[in-house]
Amino acid sequence: MGETLATVRGSIYEGLAFAFSPPGEEFYRAIKHKLVWPLKKLRSVFAWPTLEEHNLLEGLIEKGRREGLDQSLVSLKSEYHRLFAGPYKLAAPPYASVYLESDPTIMGPSTVKVLKTYEEAGFSLSLSFKDLPDHITAELEFMALLCEQEGGAWQKEEFSQAEELLSREETFLVDHLAQWIPKFSSRVHSSTDSPFYRALASLVKDYVFLDRDAVHALGAVLASEGLMPTEEGTRDGA
């Protein structure tokens, strides 16, 4: 179950990162595959009431997918740039530093800390990525990569490695994402009437907290079932 759950969780983070990227051709169709379907898979594993509340997003995506590149998508592109990309002052900046620092600056303390977190996990930003390290898409992709590695550890029955990755995920969720994503979500809600981006902002906020609890529970299961070393150095009950 651990491998499957890690894969689905990672897919959702990847889908959320894509949803906060500039809308392009086949955007709605891609969102359906990258985000809606993984959410449905997750609901088949966990009966989380909060996830059930996000059917609105699925309906909006299906409506947009049917309509294709019409005025709906044109409007979405315009709103994306107004909220997140510019060129004018951003209504809802998608950068952690804006919400974590009283006087945010480019590559300020919180941004440098995020970059260090990536490096400590063995990851680096792609050369094709032209934005700051604390952009929401980069941080969500980071979680997706951690989940991918965790899934590999479960598959190989490397339970101590799975536990280490879960711990890294939980730390990033508790100490970072959960500290700024709710503020970002509120900013989006107060800055737009777009049903899509309001629904997306609610989803990413709720998912961060749901996943935080799931990661904590999975770590507890590893410990309670004796699948990782205990303080006495035992394993698998040996």
Side-chain angles (χ1 to χ4, degrees), residues 80-91:
Y80 173 86
H81 284 280
R82 189 184 73 82
L83 289 169
F84 311 128
Y88 305 109
K89 183 177 180 180
L90 306 184

Side-chain angles (χ1 to χ4, degrees), residues 96-105 107-111:
S97 60
V98 172
Y99 308 92
L100 296 176
E101 299 179 19
S102 57
D103 185 22
T105 58
M107 292 303 293
S110 63
T111 308

Side-chain angles (χ1 to χ4, degrees), residues 149-167:
Q149 286 197 344
E150 181 204 332
W154 283 104
Q155 183 183 38
K156 298 174 184 177
E157 297 188 354
E158 295 176 350
F159 301 119
S160 61
Q161 178 69 9
E163 190 276 334
E164 180 182 332
L165 288 160
L166 283 166
S167 177

Side-chain angles (χ1 to χ4, degrees), residues 130-152:
K130 303 302 182 183
D131 220 312
L132 296 173
D134 65 335
H135 191 282
I136 189 170
T137 59
E139 297 195 356
L140 294 173
E141 285 284 2
F142 174 62
M143 283 297 300
L145 289 169
L146 290 177
C147 290
E148 181 181 350
Q149 286 197 344
E150 181 204 332

